[in-house]
Amino acid sequence: CRQFQQEWNLHPIHGSDTRDRSPQDMRLLGQASLGIYEDEFEGICPTVLQRYYGIHGWEVVHHRNQTGAGHPSDEADEPAKDDIIDHIEQKQANDVQHDAVEVPDSNTPFRNKEDESMFFEILEAVVMEGIVLEGYNLREGEDEYDKNTSEYL
């Protein structure tokens, strides 16, 4: 099964949209040009997301003596946004075990647009010429799979 998977991911797909690229080539080019999808809500309970990011707006919480029937001036229509943020923070306090991590200013590894353009020009030339580097288990005879080897992009 793994052998089939490796062969399949390396075979060229013929077509005007694919330009004879393999699934692995298309994945790499897609990640390089569009970035890698990261779920900004990973680890957040789906019910919390549904409750606060649903389609029905802010949840109306009626306090004591507020029935919701009518609109007296002392009855708020929506809870204050700060109250909701505080509520979410309190609900998730047990799940967060660390201080906030600083996020880099940019999501690109390139210093400027010229470096980025040069990278993609070279990458396109390498792909179009069919250059396959040695030592990446992509060439004939390099197909020994080592489960202890991994590479993170």
Side-chain angles (χ1 to χ4, degrees):
C1 185
R2 184 169 295 281
Q3 173 91 22
F4 172 80
Q5 179 185 10
Q6 289 174 344
E7 290 174 9
W8 179 264
N9 286 334
L10 296 176
H11 88 285
I13 299 175
H14 303 289
S16 60
D17 292 338
T18 62
R19 293 196 237 165
D20 294 329
R21 294 181 179 139
S22 70
Q24 185 175 4
D25 291 340
M26 290 188 289
R27 180 175 185 230
L28 174 65
L29 291 171
Q31 288 177 340
S33 62
L34 302 173
I36 298 173
Y37 173 76
E38 292 182 27
D39 186 359
E40 64 182 302
F41 300 113
E42 184 178 353
I44 297 177
C45 179
T47 55
V48 171
L49 290 175
Q50 183 178 7
R51 183 174 182 181
Y52 296 107
Y53 287 97
I55 59 171
H56 303 294
W58 297 102
E59 179 182 1
V60 176
V61 178
H62 296 289
H63 300 286
R64 190 171 193 196
N65 298 325
Q66 289 182 328
T67 64
H71 302 282
S73 60
D74 63 337
E75 188 172 323
D77 288 336
E78 296 180 352
K81 201 172 190 178
D82 290 340
D83 293 342
I84 291 175
I85 291 171
D86 290 342
H87 178 71
I88 292 172
E89 287 175 350
Q90 289 171 2
K91 284 260 195 186
Q92 295 182 346
N94 291 338
D95 297 330
V96 179
Q97 305 292 324
H98 57 79
D99 293 334
V101 177
E102 265 191 55
V103 178
D105 293 335
S106 174
N107 63 352
T108 178
F110 304 104
R111 290 182 297 232
N112 52 47
K113 286 287 184 191
E114 291 80 24
D115 289 350
E116 183 176 2
S117 296
M118 183 188 313
F119 171 80
F120 284 109
E121 287 172 16
I122 293 170
L123 179 61
E124 182 71 20
V126 166
V127 170
M128 295 309 288
E129 291 180 31
I131 297 172
V132 180
L133 299 176
E134 293 180 16
Y136 291 94
N137 292 336
L138 300 176
R139 292 177 167 231
E140 286 293 323
E142 291 184 335
D143 57 353
E144 289 185 26
Y145 176 71
D146 181 4
K147 65 181 179 183
N148 295 322
T149 302
S150 61
E151 180 176 349
Y152 297 97
L153 298 177

